[in-house]
Amino acid sequence: MKTARVANRKPHHETKDANSDGRAFGGHCSVVPYMAFEDSQRTAHTTHATLVFEREIPATVERVFAAFASAKIRSEWGAPSDTATIIYDQDDFREGGEDRFRCGSKSNPNIHGTTRYLEIIPNRRIVSSETISMDGKRLCASLTTLELAKSGSVTKLRSTSQVASFIGQDMISGTETGNNGSLNSLVNYFSRERA
């Protein structure tokens, strides 16, 4: 199993083409793989990775938690780029609850996701599972643990995603890129409020 530690890095791909407009963060959407579905069917094995993301958020733990709990607020910062969007068709933030969303480029949000909330400890931890599909084909499944901790005037955020890609390494890279983009957007969301 591959383990990657990802802390305060820019996304791998800085391009603004349609391929950089994919999944937002954990309910939440990463980048669409660069392979076509016809090519992806040739991947016979599952690719696994554990990705760890860390940020310092310029806001209280309570406000950061609220930014994840509210689908309305999440849709304001969750897309990984300015040309991407995330649309919640269903939101039910509670243990046992389920969110359903669409994301991708603003002109074609054709990626479908389902997030199931497994454990929620207010202002401390959110554990969720997620599946991502496109054109009726499942791309990946993941288990994500989001941890929040007060550190002076900021909140330390740590997100650990265990990803199983059914279409190869590109989905792993896309998940890393998309999560970095979304978390950078979260930092910017609270930084603008402070300014």
Side-chain angles (χ1 to χ4, degrees):
M1 177 183 292
K2 176 184 173 186
T3 301
R5 184 174 174 80
V6 183
N8 294 316
R9 288 196 337 201
K10 294 284 186 187
H12 288 316
H13 306 106
E14 296 289 344
T15 59
K16 293 287 186 184
D17 63 12
N19 288 326
S20 66
D21 294 335
R23 281 183 58 201
F25 181 81
H28 317 91
C29 236
S30 301
V31 175
V32 182
Y34 292 102
M35 62 174 63
F37 256 118
E38 295 74 23
D39 296 332
S40 75
Q41 300 310 307
R42 296 184 194 140
T43 303
H45 67 282
T46 305
T47 305
H48 296 273
T50 297
L51 305 175
V52 178
F53 306 89
E54 295 178 336
R55 295 292 189 280
E56 288 190 354
I57 312 294
T60 65
V61 169
E62 292 80 9
R63 294 189 66 220
V64 175
F65 181 82
F68 282 91
S70 165
K72 181 179 183 299
I73 297 174
R74 214 181 310 134
S75 64
E76 293 179 29
W77 63 264
S81 74
D82 292 339
T83 56
T85 189
I86 181 167
I87 301 162
Y88 285 90
D89 297 313
Q90 172 185 316
D91 68 284
D92 187 11
F93 184 78
R94 62 179 176 84
E95 287 189 0
E98 184 175 281
D99 289 352
R100 291 183 182 272
F101 60 92
R102 291 171 285 133
C103 58
S105 66
K106 288 181 178 177
S107 62
N108 185 24
N110 64 340
I111 302 165
H112 295 261
T114 301
T115 301
R116 291 178 181 86
Y117 295 102
L118 308 177
E119 180 178 68
I120 298 173
I121 300 177
N123 306 321
R124 286 183 48 203
R125 182 168 63 235
I126 302 168
V127 181
S128 61
S129 64
E130 183 175 273
T131 55
I132 298 295
S133 62
M134 187 168 67
D135 298 331
K137 306 287 186 182
R138 188 163 288 134
L139 305 181
C140 73
S142 61
L143 177 69
T144 299
T145 302
L146 176 76
E147 298 168 288
L148 304 174
K150 180 179 178 179
S151 179
S153 63
V154 303
T155 295
K156 286 194 173 181
L157 177 153
R158 180 182 173 93
S159 176
T160 304
S161 291
Q162 296 164 294
V163 185
S165 169
F166 310 127
I167 58 171
Q169 184 60 39
D170 282 347
M171 191 68 206
I172 302 297
S173 298
T175 299
E176 182 178 352
T177 301
N179 278 284
N180 270 313
S182 294
L183 289 174
N184 289 342
S185 294
L186 178 63
V187 172
N188 292 336
Y189 174 83
F190 282 112
S191 296
R192 284 193 303 270
E193 285 196 347
R194 266 196 176 181

